[in-house]
C-alpha cells in the first residue's frame, strides 16, 4: 500500500468546538445595571408620593370631576378650623402613645424573664411569636368574635367576675381599650424579640464584675442593663411608633373608626374621605400631614440613637 493511500485512510483530527460567545458587560455599565432594582423601588415610591402631594393641593372630588382645580393650600388651611381633623390628630397620638408604651413595658419584662439561654426559654420565645405571624386583620376579626356580647369567650369570662353586658368595641368608653388590647396581643412579641436579642448580645464583663462586688440587681438594671440596652429600646420604639401612628387594619376591622369618631385615626379618616366621600384632595392632604409627622418623629429618634452610639464608643 502506497504512502498516499495510507495518508488518505488516516483519521482526520477532531477540531475542538469554539467556545460560545459570552455577552461582555463593561465595568462602567455593570454598576448601573446592579443599581436598577433600587432605582425602580425609588421610582415606585416617588411617583405615588408626588401624585399625592399634587392631589393635596387640589379641590378634587370624583363625584365632581368638572370642578377639579388647584386651591393650593386651602385643604391644609381648612384643617386649622376643622374639629374633625383635631379629633383625628388627638386619637392617633393617644392610640400610638398608649400602645407603644404598654408594649414596650411588656416586651421588656418578657425579654428580661427569657434572657437566660435555656431550651425552655427558647421554646417559650418561639411560642410567643405566634401572634406576630397572624395577619392583623385576621387577629382583629378573631378578637371581634371573642368580644361578641352574645357568644364571645371574653364576654363570658368578664361576666364571671360580675361585669354583665360589657360592650367592648361598640361603646365609646371601651372601644379604645379593645383595639389597644388587640394591638398589644399582636405586636408585643415584636418588641420582645428585639429586646431579647439586645439583652443576649450585651457583654458579660460588667455583669460579672457587679456580681463579684455584690451590687443589688435593681442597681445593675438601672445603671448597667438599661443604659446599654437603650439603642435597642429606641429602635423598637421607633418601628412601633411609626407603625402605630399609621394603624388602619386593626381599627377598621374592629370598629371602622367608630363608634362615631372615637377611633378615627389618620389612615381610617383618609380611607373614608377617599372611598365614601370621594374627596381625594382632603384625603391626600391628610396623608401628607401623616407623612410629615412620621418624618419628624423618625428624625428625632434617629438623632438620639446616633448620640447613644457615639457615647457607647
Amino acid at each position: 500500500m502506497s504512502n498516499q493511500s495510507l495518508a488518505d485512510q488516516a483519521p482526520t483530527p477532531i477540531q475542538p468546538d469554539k467556545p460560545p460567545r459570552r455577552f461582555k458587560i463593561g465595568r462602567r455599565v455593570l454598576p448601573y445595571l446592579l443599581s436598577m432594582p433600587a432605582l425602580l423601588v425609588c421610582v415606585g415610591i416617588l411617583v405615588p408620593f408626588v401624585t399625592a402631594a399634587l392631589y393635596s393641593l387640589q379641590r378634587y372630588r370624583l363625584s365632581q370631576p368638572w370642578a377639579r382645580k388647584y386651591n393650593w393650600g386651602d385643604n391644609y388651611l381648612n384643617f386649622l378650623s376643622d374639629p374633625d381633623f383635631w379629633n383625628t390628630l388627638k386619637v392617633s397620638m393617644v392610640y400610638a402613645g398608649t400602645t407603644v408604651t404598654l408594649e414596650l413595658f411588656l416586651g421588656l419584662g418578657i425579654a428580661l424573664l427569657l434572657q437566660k439561654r435555656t431550651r425552655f426559654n427558647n421554646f417559650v420565645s418561639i411560642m410567643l411569636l405566634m401572634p406576630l405571624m397572624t395577619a392583623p386583620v385576621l387577629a382583629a376579626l378573631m378578637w371581634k368574635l371573642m368580644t361578641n356580647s352574645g357568644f364571645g369567650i371574653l364576654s363570658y369570662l368578664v361576666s364571671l367576675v360580675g361585669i354583665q353586658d360589657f360592650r367592648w368595641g361598640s361603646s365609646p368608653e371601651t372601644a379604645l381599650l379593645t383595639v389597644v388590647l388587640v394591638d398589644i396581643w399582636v405586636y408585643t412579641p415584636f418588641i420582645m424579640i428585639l429586646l431579647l436579642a439586645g439583652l443576649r448580645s450585651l457583654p458579660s464583663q460588667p455583669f460579672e464584675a457587679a456580681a463579684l462586688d455584690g451590687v443589688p440587681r435593681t442597681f445593675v438594671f438601672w445603671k448597667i442593663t438599661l443604659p446599654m440596652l437603650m439603642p435597642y429600646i429606641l429602635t423598637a420604639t421607633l418601628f412601633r411608633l411609626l407603625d402605630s401612628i399609621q394603624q388602619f387594619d386593626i381599627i377598621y376591622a374592629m370598629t371602622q373608626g367608630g363608634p362615631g369618631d372615637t377611633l378615627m385615626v389618620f389612615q381610617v379618616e383618609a380611607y373614608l374621605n377617599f372611598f365614601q366621600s370621594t374627596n381625594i384632595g382632603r384625603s391626600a392632604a391628610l396623608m401628607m400631614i401623616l407623612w410629615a409627622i412620621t418624618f419628624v418623629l423618625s428624625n428625632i429618634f434617629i438623632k438620639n440613637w446616633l448620640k447613644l452610639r457615639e457615647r457607647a464608643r
Side-chain angles (χ1 to χ4, degrees):
M1 186 178 294
S2 63
N3 293 335
Q4 183 66 27
S5 60
L6 290 175
D8 293 338
Q9 294 178 2
T12 57
I14 299 175
Q15 297 293 332
D17 295 335
K18 294 182 178 180
R21 292 185 177 180
R22 295 182 179 179
F23 182 71
K24 296 183 179 180
I25 302 176
R27 292 185 177 181
R28 294 183 179 180
V29 180
L30 184 59
Y32 296 100
L33 292 178
L34 295 177
S35 62
M36 283 297 294
L39 181 62
L40 292 176
V41 171
C42 291
V43 171
I45 294 174
L46 289 176
V47 170
F49 179 83
V50 174
T51 304
L54 292 176
Y55 283 162
S56 70
L57 301 175
Q58 299 177 18
R59 183 183 181 275
Y60 184 17
R61 287 180 177 268
L62 285 179
S63 58
Q64 300 173 352
W66 59 86
R68 178 180 178 181
K69 64 178 181 179
Y70 279 95
N71 59 7
W72 302 108
D74 286 354
N75 288 330
Y76 297 98
L77 293 176
N78 292 336
F79 288 148
L80 298 177
S81 58
D82 187 358
D84 292 337
F85 168 77
W86 293 109
N87 177 73
T88 297
L89 180 62
K90 182 190 73 173
V91 172
S92 299
M93 293 302 175
V94 170
Y95 177 83
T98 304
T99 54
V100 173
T101 302
L102 294 176
E103 289 166 9
L104 187 61
F105 279 105
L106 288 174
L108 179 59
I110 297 172
L112 289 171
L113 292 175
L114 302 177
Q115 181 179 2
K116 190 175 181 180
R117 295 178 182 271
T118 63
R119 290 184 178 180
F120 177 77
N121 286 350
N122 292 337
F123 174 77
V124 172
S125 62
I126 293 174
M127 289 297 102
L128 290 177
L129 289 177
M130 296 300 291
L132 190 60
M133 300 177 187
T134 306
V137 174
L138 295 180
L141 294 176
M142 180 179 67
W143 275 75
K144 193 172 184 178
L145 292 175
M146 292 193 300
T147 56
N148 185 280
S149 58
F151 54 82
I153 181 64
L154 292 181
S155 297
Y156 171 73
L157 294 176
V158 168
S159 66
L160 294 179
V161 296
I163 303 177
Q164 302 295 331
D165 194 24
F166 193 76
R167 299 178 63 187
W168 296 100
S170 60
S171 171
E173 290 77 19
T174 56
L176 179 62
L177 170 65
T178 304
V179 294
V180 165
L181 288 176
V182 180
D183 198 292
I184 289 173
W185 184 79
V186 174
Y187 291 110
T188 297
F190 174 77
I191 292 184
M192 179 271 296
I193 200 66
L194 282 181
L195 299 186
L196 181 60
L199 284 170
R200 291 183 175 180
S201 66
L202 296 180
S204 60
Q205 291 83 359
F207 302 99
E208 293 173 354
L212 290 175
D213 294 339
V215 179
R217 291 186 177 181
T218 55
F219 184 88
V220 171
F221 173 76
W222 289 107
K223 298 299 182 180
I224 300 178
T225 305
L226 198 59
M228 296 175 67
L229 194 64
M230 193 56 66
Y232 299 93
I233 294 176
L234 283 178
T235 302
T237 304
L238 174 61
F239 279 114
R240 281 301 303 131
L241 185 61
L242 296 183
D243 189 46
S244 294
I245 206 171
Q246 301 176 70
Q247 182 57 250
F248 172 79
D249 37 18
I250 292 177
I251 294 177
Y252 191 79
M254 289 285 293
T255 67
Q256 290 79 45
D261 57 357
T262 307
L263 294 174
M264 196 62 67
V265 294
F266 272 103
Q267 292 273 28
V268 176
E269 176 76 8
Y271 176 85
L272 295 178
N273 271 271
F274 192 100
F275 289 100
Q276 290 189 4
S277 304
T278 67
N279 192 344
I280 297 179
R282 177 183 168 85
S283 177
L286 284 169
M287 297 309 297
M288 294 306 298
I289 291 177
L290 178 59
W291 171 82
I293 293 173
T294 56
F295 179 79
V296 171
L297 290 176
S298 60
N299 273 276
I300 292 173
F301 274 89
I302 290 172
K303 287 181 179 179
N304 289 325
W305 184 84
L306 292 175
K307 289 180 181 178
L308 288 173
R309 191 177 68 171
E310 290 296 328
R311 290 178 185 175
R313 290 180 179 178

